[in-house]
Amino acid sequence: MTNPNDESKPENVTQSPPPPVAVDLEGGGGAISNIIRRWKREDLLNRGCLATRGFCFVFSLLAFIIMASNKHGDWKDFDKYEEYNYVLAIAILSTLYSGLQALRQVHQFHTAREFFSRRNLAMIEFLGDQVMAYLLISSASSAVPLTNRMREGADNIFTDSSASAIAMAFFAFFSLAISSLISGYKLSNQSYI
Amino acid sequence: MTNPNDESKPENVTQSPPPPVAVDLEGGGGAISNIIRRWKREDLLNRGCLATRGFCFVFSLLAFIIMASNKHGDWKDFDKYEEYNYVLAIAILSTLYSGLQALRQVHQFHTAREFFSRRNLAMIEFLGDQVMAYLLISSASSAVPLTNRMREGADNIFTDSSASAIAMAFFAFFSLAISSLISGYKLSNQSYI
């Protein structure tokens, strides 16, 4: 009798808080609110993808610049070591890839035009992110042991620059790994509307 | 007149092959044939996933055994080099992971019971495959430069065993990368029936 949530008493409806109205609204506008929620989620995913690609661009550009300027004569030249050459090459590739992807995404935000179908695009993004992430972690982890061994002997500007370039490559890898997770999630949440 | 495929002549129907009947069947049983096609595709995907995980299990077990038996005294002990220890550790992890996943899949085929919901399972598989693939390529590519440098000096049973263990780790990585692609595809083709 004193329970305001008891729906079998219509005379108590005016005293109860309005959950039944809310339930009714949900029942009536469920499809629309679903679509709006899906749009919001897709927008959030797109922004997250753009942010991680932006981070990846910045980090791989840093890795590229630090490694390319790492020439101090004698044995302190990065191009005397194949690991460092590998890091440099992959940093350049990753800079190009993430920069182009971010540009394409920004362009798509502004013009709402798409070059590929949405499904193909998600597949291409996912594959590209995966392959670039594999290359980044491969290059970074191949250069770690050499740098460790050098730093046991001497700790100078050359080893410090190498270490920071490798760290940047690792950060770029982490950004791209998150981006590849997001593109995998986008693949799984295709809207077939 | 002499063309048997001309459909505007009903007196020629008995001489023509029966494409209209086939079209009619497709129109009538479209939903059912769709579902059957989806089942077949899911079954194929599951078998593909199981096969790649089986390959990954075999290759990482080989990498583990070859690396663990790679002790020939003096400087020719794998446990004197941190890269080789890393390869061994990741090979053990990957053997356990792919073996357990393959066992779970076989068990699921036989009993048709599932511990997780299908969606969560696809997510867990995808994440696990990704992380293990990253670890495998990281360990393999960190051990490559050391082995290369050793083989420049001397080519003996120790360097040969290391090289073959690294090659097995790479093969395990490729299997797991394909498996992670398949789990990504499975994520994207969830049946919400």
Side-chain angles (χ1 to χ4, degrees):
Chain A
M1 277 272 189
T2 54
N3 182 8
N5 289 325
D6 196 349
E7 290 180 11
S8 65
K9 312 278 177 204
E11 65 270 22
N12 280 341
V13 163
T14 51
Q15 296 162 9
S16 70
V21 179
V23 168
D24 189 41
L25 264 178
E26 258 178 36
I32 294 170
S33 75
N34 251 344
I35 291 178
I36 290 176
R37 214 181 311 141
R38 184 194 283 272
W39 278 350
K40 277 193 187 155
R41 200 177 49 199
E42 279 188 4
D43 193 50
L44 191 72
L45 280 181
N46 275 333
R47 277 173 204 279
C49 224
L50 185 59
T52 50
R53 293 227 174 91
F55 278 121
C56 176
F57 175 74
V58 171
F59 286 132
S60 30
L61 191 65
L62 279 175
F64 162 44
I65 292 173
I66 295 172
M67 192 52 98
S69 63
N70 197 8
K71 298 190 89 157
H72 306 279
D74 203 15
W75 60 273
K76 297 178 193 165
D77 276 0
F78 80 91
D79 49 6
K80 293 216 172 76
Y81 305 93
E82 55 184 358
E83 292 95 328
Y84 293 160
N85 282 323
Y86 185 28
V87 170
L88 181 71
I90 300 298
I92 293 174
L93 258 184
S94 158
T95 310
L96 286 177
Y97 171 77
S98 51
L100 284 177
Q101 280 277 25
L103 263 185
R104 184 197 55 70
Q105 246 176 321
V106 169
H107 182 252
Q108 192 176 306
F109 275 149
H110 279 277
T111 64
R113 266 193 308 168
E114 294 177 3
F115 298 113
F116 304 99
S117 78
R118 190 173 276 239
R119 191 177 172 74
N120 282 346
L121 189 67
M123 221 42 202
I124 292 170
E125 281 189 349
F126 175 60
L127 271 179
D129 285 359
Q130 289 262 67
V131 172
M132 273 315 306
Y134 290 140
L135 287 176
L136 274 171
I137 193 165
S138 161
S139 71
S141 50
S142 79
V144 165
L146 176 70
T147 314
N148 269 356
R149 221 154 272 154
M150 274 184 188
R151 290 184 103 170
E152 277 169 16
D155 218 358
N156 49 31
I157 191 169
F158 177 64
T159 58
D160 284 352
S161 305
S162 320
S164 55
I166 294 167
M168 291 301 134
F170 266 116
F171 288 143
F173 157 70
F174 283 122
S175 323
L176 215 52
I178 294 171
S179 164
S180 118
L181 282 187
I182 296 178
S183 17
Y185 186 77
K186 264 161 91 178
L187 256 187
S188 78
N189 276 290
Q190 301 269 344
S191 63
Y192 296 104
I193 303 174
Chain B
M1 278 276 187
T2 54
N3 182 9
N5 289 325
D6 197 349
E7 290 180 9
S8 62
K9 313 277 177 205
E11 65 270 22
N12 280 342
V13 163
T14 50
Q15 298 163 6
S16 71
V21 180
V23 168
D24 190 41
L25 264 177
E26 259 180 36
I32 295 170
S33 76
N34 252 343
I35 291 177
I36 290 176
R37 215 181 309 140
R38 184 193 284 273
W39 279 349
K40 277 193 187 155
R41 201 177 49 199
E42 279 190 3
D43 193 51
L44 191 71
L45 281 181
N46 275 332
R47 277 173 203 278
C49 223
L50 184 60
T52 50
R53 293 229 174 89
F55 279 121
C56 176
F57 175 74
V58 171
F59 287 131
S60 29
L61 189 67
L62 278 176
F64 162 45
I65 293 173
I66 296 173
M67 192 51 98
S69 63
N70 197 8
K71 298 189 89 157
H72 307 279
D74 201 17
W75 60 273
K76 297 178 195 164
D77 277 1
F78 80 91
D79 49 6
K80 293 217 172 76
Y81 306 92
E82 55 184 357
E83 292 93 329
Y84 294 160
N85 283 324
Y86 185 29
V87 171
L88 181 72
I90 300 298
I92 293 174
L93 258 184
S94 160
T95 310
L96 287 177
Y97 170 77
S98 51
L100 284 178
Q101 280 277 24
L103 264 184
R104 184 196 56 70
Q105 245 177 324
V106 170
H107 182 253
Q108 190 176 310
F109 274 148
H110 280 277
T111 64
R113 266 193 307 167
E114 294 178 4
F115 298 114
F116 304 98
S117 77
R118 189 173 276 238
R119 191 180 172 69
N120 283 346
L121 188 69
M123 223 39 203
I124 291 170
E125 281 189 349
F126 175 60
L127 271 178
D129 285 0
Q130 289 262 68
V131 172
M132 273 316 306
Y134 289 141
L135 286 176
L136 274 172
I137 193 164
S138 161
S139 71
S141 49
S142 78
V144 164
L146 176 70
T147 315
N148 269 356
R149 222 155 271 153
M150 275 183 188
R151 291 184 103 171
E152 276 169 17
D155 219 355
N156 50 31
I157 191 172
F158 176 65
T159 57
D160 283 353
S161 306
S162 321
S164 56
I166 294 167
M168 289 302 134
F170 267 116
F171 288 144
F173 157 70
F174 283 123
S175 322
L176 214 52
I178 293 170
S179 164
S180 117
L181 281 188
I182 296 178
S183 13
Y185 186 76
K186 263 161 92 179
L187 255 188
S188 78
N189 277 290
Q190 301 269 345
S191 61
Y192 296 103
I193 303 173

